[in-house]
Amino acid sequence: MAYNPAEFRPCTFHDAVPRFHDAGDTPRAFLERCLETIAAREPAVQAWVTLNQVGARAAADAATARYKAGRALSSIDGMPVGIKDMLQTKDMPTEQGTPLLKGVQTLTDSASVLALRQAGAVIIGKTVTTELGMSHPGPTTNPFNADHTPGGSSSGSAAAIGAAMVPATLGTQVVGSIIRPAGFCGNTAIKPTFGAIHRGERLGFSQSHIGVHAGCLADMWAVTYEMAQRAGGDPGHPGLYGEVSPRAPEKPRRLIVMEAEGWSQTDSATMGAFEGILAQLSDAGVEILRRADSPLIEAFEEGIGDSLALSRDLCGYELRWTLENLIERFGSGLSDSMMARLDLARSMTIDDYRAALLQREAAKRAFAAIDGLADGLISLSSVGPAPLMENKAKDSGVTHTTGLPAYNAATSVLGCPAITLPLLAVGGLPVGVQVIGQAHRDAALTGLAAWVAAAIRPVTV
């Protein structure tokens, strides 16, 4: 079915909660509606690795009893949530998108998953990820056209929201794995400030983030907030700042257009649609700044201009030890794409890694220098709509089968918050527009995102 942002109705939770309190609806009934949608859409979309319907129904029944007694645990008590299969769950396998880990049961919850359970969320299942959260794809298809990719590596998490199966899912991102697939599948999603959500076992990557895909901004923020309140941030990080509800819409005075590495690679239809968004912002009285308007913006763009290769090197070096152990244990079974990453990592020295860290710090300093120029940044979430499933774009020596993360690597390198909004439809497929803020301004960014979502008409081309 072709995507129309003005007509698409995702699954949302916050608007059902008042009916839970007055017994007009229940978390169990809400869950059953989600399961019905999953049963109808899953044969084509293939978003799920594992579903725990027995455990989910028990959790939904417990939430129903709490609402009846007037003792709801949190704003997400009773919310069905899917978990990317990179994160551990005590009651389901954690296979990380590779046959080498088929059926592996850790009997442990990741910090984020345990926090969700403590908040009363209903953990419904594990969503498909690409191989080890990198670029080799799983079976998931785009919910709006099965010939196209849902993006990666949070493939199933994004597709489950786009198929209106559940109100929220967890994703992870080291380069573009939350924001790009969310944009491809018509999600609202957040990649928070680096370290704002406790990564649990994902601490091995120096720019890995945990984030949330959702059908709306309210549900996205509620899941993010409730996790952070219970699990905190990464060790040594202060965690997420903000309140239980997203900020009220707040009109920005100025926004900086972030070109990053995607500008020259964006197709003409997508670029025209994005310029339509920028024109609406300008008509609404928002001043739009571009790289030619300030030497500080130009210096910033130069600082992030090699973020794809930088992310490749940082992540490859940090992933190397996991891959070496898998090869020693199994001998084979990794994709050609993953082996190419390993070959690149093996060629790096410790001094190469140190140089990459210095490059990342320089990019962060250039980003901090533009702080006073505007209230935030705005950019596309991808270079165009989701490519065909057989796509094999190559950049910086890595094959990207789930779309090029040319607008995403920079924000991962910078560790800053980004929220993607479903504001574009190009050729019948969603394309996201992301708003970006300085570190630890996640809550303020929700106010900016809320204003943009309310004030700007989606563009269809």
Side-chain angles (χ1 to χ4, degrees), residues 369-383:
I370 65 171
D371 185 15
L373 298 181
D375 301 295
L377 286 70
I378 188 166
S379 183
L380 285 160
S381 298
S382 62
V383 299

Side-chain angles (χ1 to χ4, degrees), residues 38 64 70 110 122 128 155 183 204 211 225 242 266 290 310 317 348 350 368 401 407:
I38 291 171
T64 297
S110 185
V122 174
V128 172
S155 309
Y225 174 85
T266 302
R290 301 181 186 252
L310 177 58
Y317 189 86
M348 289 182 65
I350 183 65
T401 56
Y407 283 110

Side-chain angles (χ1 to χ4, degrees), residues 130-175:
T130 60
E131 178 191 31
L132 298 175
M134 292 296 166
S135 56
H136 188 68
T140 310
T141 65
N142 191 288
F144 299 99
N145 187 326
D147 293 332
H148 292 255
T149 178
S153 62
S154 302
S155 309
S157 291
I161 299 300
M165 293 175 172
V166 288
T169 55
L170 294 194
T172 64
Q173 175 166 320
V174 293
V175 184

Side-chain angles (χ1 to χ4, degrees), residues 351-363:
D351 285 342
D352 292 329
Y353 184 65
R354 288 167 178 159
L357 292 175
L358 289 172
Q359 184 180 345
R360 185 166 67 187
E361 287 306 309

